[in-house]
Amino acid sequence: MAIGQVDKAIKRSRQAQKHDPVDLIISTLLGMAYYFSRKFNEAIAEGEKTLTMAPDYVPAYLWLGMAYEQTNKYTDAVAILMKGKTKTSGKNAKLNALLAHAQAKSGNISAASSELDELSIRAKRGYISQYNFARI
């Protein structure tokens, strides 16, 4: 996937999943491969399946939220990212940034601004990558 061979990544991830169908990392990697190949509906299905297996598995919330956003399902993106935020007690900066971005895309600028303010406050107490601010 990292060298742009997403179709090969999908094929290999599916093969790995046949050997271990409940492995969360394999499922997440398959969802990522679908995402990067612009097969967003498949990425959504894989993300939902992953969260059915493990509702506390935060990486699945990130990729599922991004896939929802790519299909213009902003309400679903906000909802799933908000759930993920709850699972991390709001301490995952990347998730917060993705949530703010989805909120802004959905037209809820005040909610996005609140997330941005929250990240700014956290950045004064510890390191937050500037990429997260740029994402918003």
Side-chain angles (χ1 to χ4, degrees):
M1 197 165 26
I3 59 173
Q5 297 179 358
V6 290
D7 290 335
K8 190 180 280 188
I10 289 170
K11 182 180 177 185
R12 296 279 169 89
S13 295
R14 283 183 184 155
Q15 289 171 339
Q17 202 171 50
K18 285 180 185 175
H19 295 289
D20 194 349
V22 296
D23 186 288
L24 301 175
I25 295 171
I26 294 169
S27 185
T28 302
L29 288 174
L30 179 55
M32 288 170 57
Y34 284 135
Y35 180 88
F36 286 123
S37 67
R38 305 187 59 78
K39 296 176 181 173
F40 301 120
N41 290 326
E42 289 90 337
I44 289 168
E46 197 62 38
E48 289 173 345
K49 184 180 97 180
T50 305
L51 288 176
T52 299
M53 291 188 293
D56 293 330
Y57 189 64
V58 173
Y61 286 95
L62 299 168
W63 290 101
L64 181 55
M66 292 186 339
Y68 277 138
E69 192 174 320
Q70 289 299 317
T71 58
N72 300 322
K73 295 177 182 173
Y74 302 120
T75 303
D76 293 334
V78 168
I80 204 70
L81 292 166
M82 190 66 81
K83 253 187 191 175
K85 181 181 176 181
T86 302
K87 300 287 182 188
T88 66
S89 302
K91 294 180 181 171
N92 184 312
K94 182 177 182 178
L95 200 144
N96 292 94
L98 289 170
L99 173 60
H101 187 267
Q103 289 168 327
K105 292 289 282 186
S106 73
N108 192 346
I109 303 303
S110 64
S113 291
S114 293
E115 287 293 331
L116 178 59
D117 291 343
E118 190 178 310
L119 271 181
S120 296
I121 291 166
R122 286 178 47 206
K124 291 177 183 173
R125 294 188 307 249
Y127 177 75
I128 302 286
S129 170
Q130 292 300 302
Y131 181 76
N132 293 307
F133 293 101
R135 181 182 302 249
I136 297 169

